[in-house]
Amino acid sequence: EPPQTANLIASWLLMAAYDRFNDDTFLARAATALDFYYRQFVVSHPMSIGGGGARDGLETRDVWTKFSAEYAIGALGLYRRTQETAWLARAEQSGRYLLQAARHGFAPKYNLTEHRWANSATGWDSWGRAIEACLLMAEATGEATWRDLAAHWGEHALAIQAEDGCFYLIDAEYYNTDLAADELRGLVFLFEVTGEPRYLTAARRFADWHLAHQRPDGAWAMTIDRDGNIVVPTAGPGDMPNIAVALLRLYHITAAQPYLDAAMRAFRYSLSTQVLPGSDEPYADDPAICWGFWSWDPRYDYTQSPDQATHHVRGMMFLLDYLCDPALASPSLGTTIEHKKK
C-alpha cells in the first residue's frame, strides 16, 4: 500500500532507536519520514484557517486534531535532537491548529472545503495527544501559553469523563483502544506539571476501568460502547503495549502494584503477536514479514503497520529501560524494581 497517515508515528520509533543505539541513520530516516509527511499531508497555505492541520488521507479534505498533534510531537522530537529551528516552526504551526480546534469546542477535525469545524461529539476526540503536544511546546519554547492550552484541553477531558471512569471518545459513544494510552498519559503528565490532584484522580479512574476490562491474555477489546457492550472484540495488538507504557508511567507515580501487573500482562500479549522465524505463521519465511506484527487479532488480513510496530518496539525498549535502571524509579519503587530485575 502507499504511505498512509497511520504511518506518521513510525518516526517516533526511529527517534527512539537513535536514542538507544546512537546511530545517525535512524535520526536521518525519522527526518525524511516527517518531511515526507509534512509535504503530503500538512496544510501549509498561509490563507488556510486549517493551517498546520494534518489531513487524514491524500485525497480527503478533512484535517484531524489527532494527526496534527502527532505531527507536532514528532517535529518537536526532531527539534530537540537536531536543534534545527525549521522543525520547531513546523511544530508551532500545528500547535496553532490545536489552539483553533480548542477554540471551536475541542473539534476533532476541520473540513477544508466547507470551512467547518466538527463538534467533539462527531469523530475522534483525541485530546490526549493535544495535551502532550502542548506540554512539549511549552518545554521547547518556555512559553507558558502552551502549558495553559494543555490545561484547557485537560479541562475538556475532565468534563467528559464518564461515571464509570472511562472516556468514550469516538462519536462520544465508544471507547477505542487507539484513544486510550495518550489520554491516560496526558492526564498523568498534567498532574506532574501542575501538581493538581484532579488530573491524577481522573487518570486513576481511567486506569482502573482498564484493569476491570483487561482480558486474561492481557489485551483489551478494540471498541466498547457506553453500556458496556463489546462492539468490536478484535484487538489491535499495537495498542496494548502503548496502553501498557501509560500504565507503567502511572505506576511510577503511584507505586500501585495493580498498574504494573496489568502493564506486564499487556507486554506479554505484545510479545505473543510477533511473527517469529520458523513459526507456523503465514509468510514467516519472508524477511519482510519476519519479526513484524500483524495489524489485527484475530488476523483480518496480512498487513503489518509501522504505527503498530512503533508501539510494540518502543514499549519493549521503555519496559527494559525502566525495569533495569533503578535511577528511573522513585525511592518508593526502588525495592520493586530491584525485585523485578532479579
Side-chain angles (χ1 to χ4, degrees):
E1 296 181 352
Q4 303 174 6
T5 49
N7 299 339
L8 160 65
I9 63 172
S11 64
W12 299 1
L13 173 56
L14 293 167
M15 283 185 273
Y18 165 74
D19 294 343
R20 192 174 189 86
F21 304 117
N22 197 29
D23 184 341
D24 290 340
T25 303
F26 290 116
L27 189 61
R29 288 183 177 178
T32 299
L34 276 184
D35 184 62
F36 170 85
Y37 185 89
Y38 182 83
R39 290 183 286 105
Q40 296 292 326
F41 297 105
V42 177
V43 178
S44 59
H45 195 285
M47 285 294 290
S48 177
I49 297 299
R55 297 197 304 275
D56 67 338
L58 288 173
E59 304 300 327
T60 68
R61 301 299 291 168
D62 283 332
V63 292
W64 282 46
T65 299
K66 173 180 184 287
F67 298 131
S68 306
E70 288 176 345
Y71 181 79
I73 291 168
L76 288 166
L78 281 172
Y79 171 66
R80 183 168 65 84
R81 290 165 175 84
T82 67
Q83 291 300 297
E84 294 179 10
T85 56
W87 291 115
L88 178 59
R90 288 182 175 184
E92 288 179 320
Q93 186 181 37
S94 292
R96 289 191 291 272
Y97 170 86
L98 298 178
L99 171 60
Q100 292 306 311
R103 290 186 63 250
H104 290 84
F106 305 98
K109 58 186 177 180
Y110 175 77
N111 186 277
L112 296 167
T113 300
E114 300 176 2
H115 307 289
R116 177 175 53 84
W117 294 90
N119 66 60
S120 60
T122 305
W124 290 42
D125 187 2
S126 47
W127 49 264
R129 290 168 172 85
I131 289 173
E132 292 170 333
C134 292
L135 289 177
L136 286 172
M137 281 297 304
E139 181 181 355
T141 65
E143 296 175 5
T145 52
W146 292 111
R147 175 176 158 173
D148 294 341
L149 182 56
H152 193 37
W153 279 98
E155 291 296 328
H156 165 64
L158 296 179
I160 63 172
Q161 188 168 26
E163 290 185 5
D164 62 3
C166 188
F167 289 97
Y168 298 94
L169 300 179
I170 294 184
D171 300 335
E173 284 290 334
Y174 303 101
Y175 162 85
N176 188 278
T177 51
D178 194 35
L179 296 175
D182 290 277
E183 284 62 37
L184 182 53
R185 270 194 297 270
L187 291 169
V188 174
F189 290 158
L190 276 174
F191 167 70
E192 293 182 64
V193 170
T194 67
E196 296 187 27
R198 57 198 181 126
Y199 294 124
L200 182 60
T201 298
R204 296 196 68 161
R205 291 180 63 209
F206 193 28
D208 291 344
W209 183 93
H210 279 88
L211 267 56
H213 289 80
Q214 189 175 28
R215 300 187 326 205
D217 66 357
W220 288 272
M222 183 176 295
T223 309
I224 299 174
D225 69 20
R226 280 187 175 271
D227 293 327
N229 301 304
I230 295 178
V231 180
V232 180
T234 300
D239 293 339
M240 307 314 141
N242 197 20
I243 295 172
V245 170
L247 288 170
L248 197 64
R249 185 75 180 199
L250 186 57
Y251 168 70
H252 180 73
I253 296 299
T254 64
Q257 187 69 30
Y259 300 141
L260 178 61
D261 293 342
M264 295 301 291
R265 286 192 293 270
F267 282 126
R268 282 192 289 270
Y269 169 82
S270 169
L271 286 175
S272 75
T273 65
Q274 191 169 30
V275 180
L276 302 178
S279 68
D280 58 0
E281 288 291 315
Y283 308 108
D285 58 344
D286 185 340
I289 295 297
C290 192
W291 299 112
F293 301 85
W294 298 123
S295 297
W296 315 103
D297 178 23
R299 191 173 54 252
Y300 172 74
D301 51 27
Y302 295 102
T303 58
Q304 293 186 343
S305 177
D307 67 332
Q308 292 217 24
T310 292
H311 297 317
H312 285 293
V313 180
R314 288 170 75 241
M316 294 175 194
M317 290 178 178
F318 297 161
L319 177 66
L320 289 170
D321 288 342
Y322 188 80
L323 296 183
C324 296
D325 187 352
L328 291 175
S330 67
S332 62
L333 301 183
T335 302
T336 302
I337 296 301
E338 287 301 318
H339 174 72
K340 289 292 178 181
K341 285 172 66 178
K342 296 174 183 177

